[in-house]
Amino acid sequence: MPVLRTAVEQHLSRTLEGYRGFLAGLEEVVRDAPPKDPRVQTAVLLLRLCGQGKATHLLRTLPPALTQSFAESLDAATEGTLESLCRLDALTPTQREQLRLPLREGGLGLRAQASLREAAYLGSWLGNLEGVRARCPEGTASKERFLHEDRDWARALANAQAALAAEGVHLNDQGEVAPSPPQAPWAWEDDGAEVPQVQRALTKALDKKRRAELLPRLPPEDRAWVRSCGGPGAGAWLNTAPSSELERFHDADFCAAVRTRLCQEVSPPGLRCSNTYSTGPRAGEHCAADLDTKGTHASTCKVGGGVTRKHDALVRLLARLLRAAGYQVASDGPGTWEPRWDRPLLDAQGTQKRDADGNLLWEHARLDLRLEGGPEEPTTYGDVVVSQARADSWARLGASADGAVAAEAAARKARRYPPEEVPGARLVAFAVEAGGRWGKDAKDFLWRAAGRASERHPGLAELGGQGRAAVFSSWLSQLSCALQKANVACLRTASAGGRGPAPGASAEGAGLGEHAHAAPVDDDWLAEEIEQLIQEAAAGAGVELS
């Protein structure tokens, strides 16, 4: 039975008002909840996971022309609330485009609903085409009906296909997404099968197109940064529930991390770095270098120990996680020294230096981690390196390709520690960019280690790949939170001369709170988290637990 347009518009209006009430409720919770609670982190997580889904079914069931004004108003309300919650400056056009990208592409995962209308409507039809044809009178949804466009819904579908094609997203005759016009396009054949999950494929293709259009319009350092913020796990801190101290963000820290991710200013112009030398001829003096407004110097300044604390926090966390995979882990002392990788200390002329007694000087190869995984694996040395893609030394490379900075940092580690010099051992460079993107070798190793960890518990082992995926996802989330909290700690110490720490936060720590110290060797992370991991893995596998 046809529904009058006015009735549809009234329903959309009521839905929009309800959504605005939901947003107002989020702001009220942040305003009224106890100050030490992770208020902003929780509100943004609810906004991402619960908010926009309220409109999805309407975009799938109503022609795009009917939902345009509704979706645009919903987007404006969403972004206005985000600005308020995270204390953002007014969003520039490029920042708005960035936040609409998924986390994996360097955004905030708040997709613009107005830009998804065609993909949602077309995807809904394609995913249910067989059912529509089976339940309707013969010929109602035939190829002829689609091609004649003598019904509003048929015209809406044709317009949706045309709008997507104008953005460079096409469908072939099998319903597969293609980046260029296919020789045999989708034509609503009468014997055509429905195409499940095509909305997801269309949305993913649109995301990639829009990111590809955004990147060239950014300055090189911002382009490098957006790339640095993408990839598996890089934005996991935005998707993590504050269920542990490690994963909890103080409001001010969370806001600073969001501002940094969106390329907004995190230091006012004119400040100088207040990091203080602790040793040497300048002990007690400030670094005093100019602080750039985007936080690049603050996150790389080696004065004051902030960069070292960031590095050490990741080393400690990796050691704790990898013990859950059954590795024997050494993270300091003689256990991480590999003398076969020692090299001479040379002067400017290339001659090996000597100490006051005439002894030759060597640079000892002390790596961050030594991992023993049993007879089935070689001794593995791990070395952590965090690289700031915005820095002058990296920006050009970082702007050129996703993961280029982490890849080069890992390559430098390999050149420093050539594998042929230590037979029977291997090096894993845990290379991560400051935005959160991990290098390939690090991801591959963590994925294999997550499999080892999942096999150690029967509940996870029974779920196979889903158990491994749950462990891997949890590890990436913890590492992501630790890295971004450490980045904010660096911002605070560098600008402490003009801005103090957030209430309840340490201006000197790496943002790990109670976990700032090394975990004891017998610390069993897997045992602590097992119930939640089993639930997540079972949900991913579609298994109902008794």
Side-chain angles (χ1 to χ4, degrees):
M1 179 177 178
V3 179
L4 294 176
R5 185 184 182 103
T6 53
V8 172
E9 291 174 346
Q10 289 173 359
H11 179 70
L12 291 175
S13 179
R14 288 194 298 270
T15 301
L16 182 60
E17 285 306 306
Y19 182 68
R20 286 173 172 154
F22 165 76
L23 297 179
L26 291 181
E27 295 194 53
E28 182 178 350
V29 167
V30 170
R31 185 179 65 247
D32 297 341
K36 291 187 178 181
D37 286 354
R39 300 173 298 183
V40 178
Q41 180 185 9
T42 302
V44 171
L45 185 63
L46 289 172
L47 176 62
R48 290 191 57 257
L49 300 184
C50 305
Q52 293 183 316
K54 298 177 182 295
T56 301
H57 70 285
L58 294 173
L59 301 185
R60 286 173 57 83
T61 55
L62 293 173
L66 288 181
T67 57
Q68 180 175 356
S69 177
F70 163 77
E72 289 174 348
S73 297
L74 186 142
D75 291 337
T78 299
E79 291 164 10
T81 296
L82 182 74
E83 287 185 2
S84 175
L85 291 174
C86 296
R87 312 172 199 175
L88 299 176
D89 300 330
L91 294 165
T92 66
T94 54
Q95 290 167 359
R96 199 175 299 276
E97 290 178 51
Q98 183 191 350
L99 77 85
R100 293 172 173 178
L101 294 175
L103 300 184
R104 194 182 183 103
E105 301 291 351
L108 290 187
L110 292 171
R111 290 186 176 94
Q113 300 301 294
S115 67
L116 298 180
R117 293 172 297 120
E118 290 82 8
Y121 190 63
L122 182 60
S124 175
W125 269 87
L126 288 170
N128 297 279
L129 185 57
E130 286 185 357
V132 171
R133 284 173 167 166
R135 290 169 174 78
C136 293
E138 186 175 353
T140 300
S142 65
K143 175 181 178 179
E144 181 180 5
R145 182 71 74 194
F146 282 106
L147 296 182
H148 284 176
E149 299 180 23
D150 59 351
R151 296 290 189 274
D152 287 343
W153 54 264
R155 285 191 294 272
L157 287 168
N159 291 339
Q161 280 185 266
L164 291 170
E167 291 202 59
V169 178
H170 308 266
L171 288 174
N172 65 19
D173 58 348
Q174 301 300 310
E176 299 168 335
V177 176
S180 58
Q183 291 184 343
W186 179 260
W188 303 99
E189 298 291 346
D190 290 330
D191 58 351
E194 62 186 36
V195 187
Q197 297 189 346
V198 71
Q199 180 182 342
R200 177 180 297 181
L202 289 169
T203 301
K204 187 174 181 179
L206 287 171
D207 289 335
K208 289 187 177 297
K209 288 282 185 182
R210 287 162 184 163
R211 182 176 185 264
E213 292 169 356
L214 168 65
L215 289 175
R217 305 204 318 271
L218 298 174
E221 62 274 13
D222 285 353
R223 193 184 321 147
W225 180 249
V226 172
R227 290 187 184 278
S228 176
C229 291
W237 60 278
L238 286 158
N239 221 20
T240 301
S243 56
S244 70
E245 183 63 28
L246 173 60
E247 296 161 323
R248 291 163 61 95
F249 282 79
H250 294 282
D251 287 353
D253 287 354
F254 189 85
C255 293
V258 172
R259 290 177 64 88
T260 303
R261 187 174 178 89
L262 290 179
C263 303
Q264 293 205 337
E265 294 186 355
V266 290
S267 295
L271 286 186
R272 290 186 177 274
C273 180
S274 58
N275 286 335
T276 304
Y277 288 91
S278 58
T279 60
R282 295 189 61 186
E285 295 182 19
H286 292 316
C287 166
D290 291 331
L291 285 179
D292 60 284
T293 60
K294 300 293 182 68
T296 304
H297 174 81
S299 68
T300 58
C301 180
K302 295 182 179 180
V303 178
V307 169
T308 299
R309 287 190 291 272
K310 181 194 305 185
H311 166 274
D312 291 350
L314 292 177
V315 172
R316 288 192 296 269
L317 181 54
L318 282 167
R320 180 173 186 251
L321 300 178
L322 292 172
R323 287 189 184 102
Y327 288 101
Q328 293 184 14
V329 182
S331 56
D332 54 29
T336 61
W337 175 32
E338 176 47 74
R340 289 173 289 181
W341 274 325
D342 287 355
R343 64 182 181 184
L345 279 175
L346 305 178
D347 59 22
Q349 288 72 42
T351 302
Q352 187 171 4
K353 295 180 180 180
R354 295 178 181 271
D355 62 17
D357 297 324
N359 299 311
L360 293 173
L361 295 178
W362 296 82
E363 178 187 339
H364 292 301
R366 294 193 184 277
L367 293 99
D368 293 320
L369 298 166
R370 177 176 173 146
L371 310 171
E372 299 290 352
E376 69 273 21
E377 291 196 20
T379 297
T380 299
Y381 290 96
D383 218 37
V384 174
V385 55
V386 184
S387 305
Q388 171 54 270
R390 299 183 66 97
D392 291 343
S393 56
W394 287 116
R396 183 174 179 180
L397 179 63
S400 66
D402 291 343
V405 171
E408 175 57 23
R412 293 181 182 182
K413 289 291 184 184
R415 291 193 290 271
R416 169 61 185 88
Y417 305 109
E420 65 273 10
E421 293 183 0
V422 185
R426 65 174 173 179
L427 171 75
V428 175
F430 289 99
V432 61
E433 299 178 14
R437 183 184 288 274
W438 285 90
K440 182 179 183 303
D441 289 348
K443 283 186 304 193
D444 289 348
F445 183 84
L446 289 171
W447 174 251
R448 290 194 301 272
R452 286 176 54 113
S454 67
E455 290 168 2
R456 299 181 73 212
H457 191 284
L460 288 171
E462 288 180 5
L463 294 169
Q466 293 297 331
R468 171 192 288 213
V471 173
F472 184 62
S473 176
S474 177
W475 285 4
L476 291 183
S477 294
Q478 293 179 65
L479 290 164
S480 177
C481 290
L483 176 60
Q484 297 312 318
K485 292 168 81 171
N487 283 339
V488 173
C490 287
L491 293 176
R492 295 200 181 284
T493 56
S495 61
R499 181 181 302 147
S506 169
E508 298 180 353
L512 292 180
E514 297 175 1
H515 299 278
H517 300 289
V521 172
D522 61 351
D523 180 36
D524 193 346
W525 167 85
L526 188 61
E528 294 176 8
E529 304 291 334
I530 194 65
E531 290 303 324
Q532 180 178 346
L533 290 172
I534 290 177
Q535 294 291 337
E536 293 174 358
V543 175
E544 184 174 346
L545 300 176
S546 57

